[in-house]
Amino acid sequence: MKQFTTPEQTAKLIELGFEKPKGSHSYWRENELVININYTIGELIEMLNRVDDEKLEICRDCGFWFVGTDLYGTLWRELIDALYDMVTLLKEQGVI
C-alpha cells in the first residue's frame, strides 16, 4: 500500500495553498539514499477534518478505497490516491 503522495500530487497540494508536508521518508535506490518530502495518509485525513457539516466516509470494498462526503465521492485502488483526489476536489470547490 502506498503511504505517501507522489511528488506531482505534493506539488499540486502546495499550489492549492496547503502547508508543506511535515515529515520526510527515505529509502535506498541503486546504492543511493533518496529523501522525499511528501504528504502522508494521516496528513491528508487531517486536511479533510476541515470539512464542516458533512459526514466523511472512508471505506474499502472489492479492492477499492472510497472516500466521500454527502456531496462528493471518489474511488481508487490506493487509499492515498482517494484521499488526495477528495482533498483536491474539496479545495477546488471551496469546501476546505
Side-chain angles (χ1 to χ4, degrees):
M1 176 195 297
K2 289 175 27 183
Q3 297 182 25
F4 303 94
T5 54
T6 65
E8 296 79 19
Q9 290 171 329
T10 300
K12 175 69 175 183
L13 291 172
I14 292 170
E15 177 186 309
L16 288 173
F18 289 102
E19 289 183 28
K20 291 184 178 180
K22 295 178 182 133
S24 65
H25 64 282
S26 59
Y27 57 92
W28 288 94
R29 181 176 15 165
E30 299 176 11
N31 294 326
E32 185 176 329
L33 182 63
V34 177
I35 299 174
N36 284 326
I37 300 174
N38 298 318
Y39 294 100
T40 64
I41 289 172
E43 287 175 299
L44 295 180
I45 290 172
E46 284 180 18
M47 292 174 190
L48 290 173
N49 279 337
R50 300 177 189 173
V51 176
D52 292 331
D53 301 326
E54 291 190 46
K55 183 177 100 179
L56 177 65
E57 181 180 1
I58 300 173
C59 63
R60 183 180 166 108
D61 189 24
C62 298
F64 287 89
W65 285 95
F66 172 78
V67 176
T69 65
D70 293 336
L71 298 176
Y72 306 100
T74 185
L75 188 70
W76 288 90
R77 285 205 177 270
E78 293 285 350
L79 176 58
I80 191 92
D81 294 331
L83 291 167
Y84 164 80
D85 198 40
M86 181 56 64
V87 167
T88 303
L89 175 67
L90 293 176
K91 183 68 170 182
E92 290 174 342
Q93 296 291 324
V95 176
I96 57 175

